[in-house]
Amino acid sequence: MTALGVGIRNSADLAVNQANEKCTVKGYKLVLDPQDDEKNPAKGAQAATKLSSEPSVVGVIGTLNSSVAQTVQPILANKKIAMMSPANTNPSLTRGENYKTAPSRQFQNYFRVCTTDDAQGPFAANYLVSKAGKKKIAVVADGKTYGEGLANEFTEKAKALGAEIVTREKVQEKDTDFSGVIAKIKPFAPDAVYYGGEYGAAGPFSKQLKEAGLRIPLMGGDGIVDDTYGKLAGAAAEGDLATSVGAPADKLAEAKAFIDAYNAKYPKDQGYSAYGAMSFDATNALIDGLARTVAAGDWSESQREALLKNIGSTKIKGANGDIAFDQYGDSTNKLLTVYQISGGKFQPVETGTLTN
């Protein structure tokens, strides 16, 4: 399981344990049943099918990857099982393929506590073009739903701001040798690279870019925001940039209790990573809805529809701020943060929302 997955699993487990200690769901003990989809849509479908056959399953905290979510959503929706993502950022998951012109809710059972790439991509472009002053940008993506979608959103906004996208290239998520794509990029002499994908490929890509003489910043999205990125890229990572959903948990007063509890319970793990606070909030939103649902009657599969309605009306405080959902199941919390690598780790630069 990746560092991002470990953070999601542990944070959900922490919320479940705290709820049991407080008897939040009166008359019931909650149990977490972790499943690792390994970022594979087929394995995600298998896990969703297994979970949907269990009458006692009240909800699923996940998925991490938007491409996996696309296969899991209809399986869980068929049984009206709540799906709460701490990390999916592709806008079409909630609002459909025509999310910009004709948004329409896709699945009544699907919610997420993070904002989406139609905000994150432009937010990144605003910073890289307007503040960092980069005007010749090469865009590279990994071919997956998340990476391609984020790169598309960034590209549209960067062009609108007057930047030139000198080339658009594709790599594979498991690539380790990026010499071919670097050879294509180098003649364009870009002053930055924007990468749509995750840290496993982005770190080595950044390292090889600099080794090839392209001493320019690589910028990515929330999928690269993990300390592992700095370890993979080494000294080449210094100055690289990323955006991530939400505010830095360690900068939020609301998150202190979560961070302290997490570190006390999981001192040997790699930390809560990019989505830990989001996973904690997603789990607590599910638990809040469940507590209100069983207060009106004992749990059974017939209660799932009532649970979905109760989740939709959730309004609670979380580690990442207010937790509530709009008519599409999207989070009403639209905060985003720009990070920059300093000393091998991502450090926050600025937090805000997309204003234009």
Side-chain angles (χ1 to χ4, degrees):
M1 187 177 288
T2 66
L4 298 176
V6 169
I8 290 172
R9 180 198 65 196
N10 288 354
S11 300
D13 184 55
L14 178 62
V16 165
N17 288 335
Q18 289 182 351
N20 284 334
E21 289 168 4
K22 297 173 185 174
C23 296
T24 302
V25 184
K26 304 252 187 292
Y28 295 87
K29 180 183 179 182
L30 306 179
V31 177
L32 183 71
D33 180 10
Q35 304 285 323
D36 186 2
D37 58 42
E38 299 176 29
K39 302 190 287 185
N40 183 314
K43 291 187 177 181
Q46 290 171 4
T49 301
K50 172 180 178 288
L51 292 170
S52 66
S53 69
E54 298 287 339
S56 61
V57 170
V58 296
V60 171
I61 306 302
T63 57
L64 167 59
N65 297 94
S66 292
S67 53
V68 178
Q70 289 173 321
T71 64
V72 169
Q73 281 178 312
I75 297 170
L76 297 182
N78 189 48
K79 293 294 186 75
K80 298 181 179 178
I81 297 174
M83 181 175 174
M84 317 283 296
S85 178
N88 296 158
T89 52
N90 188 278
S92 67
L93 296 173
T94 44
R95 289 171 271 143
E97 291 299 325
N98 297 319
Y99 59 87
K100 289 188 178 182
T101 56
S104 175
R105 186 160 190 177
Q106 301 300 289
F107 297 97
Q108 296 298 319
N109 68 314
Y110 180 84
F111 303 86
R112 54 177 150 204
V113 296
C114 53
T115 193
T116 50
D117 290 335
D118 52 332
Q120 182 175 203
F123 189 78
N126 281 344
Y127 186 86
L128 191 62
V129 178
S130 301
K131 294 191 175 180
K134 306 303 180 183
K135 302 298 185 184
K136 294 178 63 181
I137 303 167
V139 175
V140 180
D142 66 359
K144 292 171 64 179
T145 301
Y146 161 72
E148 294 292 337
L150 181 59
N152 290 343
E153 296 290 348
F154 171 86
T155 297
E156 183 178 341
K157 183 63 173 180
K159 286 181 176 178
L161 293 170
E164 178 188 0
I165 304 303
V166 295
T167 186
R168 171 78 177 249
E169 304 294 340
K170 184 178 289 189
V171 297
Q172 300 299 315
E173 179 191 15
K174 295 183 179 179
D175 283 353
T176 56
D177 180 358
F178 298 95
S179 57
V181 73
I182 292 170
K184 292 179 181 178
I185 292 171
K186 196 170 183 180
F188 292 101
D191 52 18
V193 170
Y194 187 80
Y195 181 75
E198 298 170 50
Y199 63 79
F205 180 36
S206 175
K207 185 173 188 290
Q208 292 172 39
L209 273 172
K210 276 73 166 186
E211 289 173 346
L214 281 170
R215 301 195 174 279
I216 56 176
L218 179 146
M219 187 176 200
D222 52 310
I224 77 169
V225 181
D226 187 86
D227 287 348
T228 310
Y229 176 86
K231 294 173 184 175
L232 291 171
E238 287 295 301
D240 282 356
L241 296 155
T243 51
S244 192
V245 291
D250 59 358
K251 305 296 181 186
L252 290 170
E254 300 98 320
K256 186 179 186 306
F258 158 71
I259 294 170
D260 289 347
Y262 187 100
N263 290 336
K265 187 167 178 60
Y266 309 105
K268 294 182 180 178
D269 280 335
Q270 304 170 55
Y272 50 86
S273 197
Y275 306 113
M278 297 288 192
S279 176
F280 185 73
D281 285 355
T283 310
N284 278 323
L286 172 61
I287 292 169
D288 175 76
L290 179 62
R292 287 184 282 131
T293 302
V294 299
D298 291 344
W299 175 258
S300 68
E301 288 179 280
S302 65
Q303 288 276 55
R304 283 175 173 163
E305 193 163 356
L307 173 56
L308 296 180
K309 290 180 181 176
N310 284 328
I311 293 170
S313 64
T314 292
K315 284 182 173 55
I316 58 176
K317 294 286 186 182
N320 202 59
D322 293 336
I323 306 171
F325 305 99
D326 66 14
Q327 68 268 38
Y328 305 109
D330 280 329
S331 173
T332 58
N333 185 339
K334 307 295 186 184
L335 282 176
L336 289 153
T337 300
V338 173
Y339 293 85
Q340 187 166 35
I341 291 279
S342 178
K345 294 187 176 184
F346 281 110
Q347 304 294 341
V349 176
E350 66 176 42
T351 296
T353 56
L354 180 66
T355 54
N356 54 55

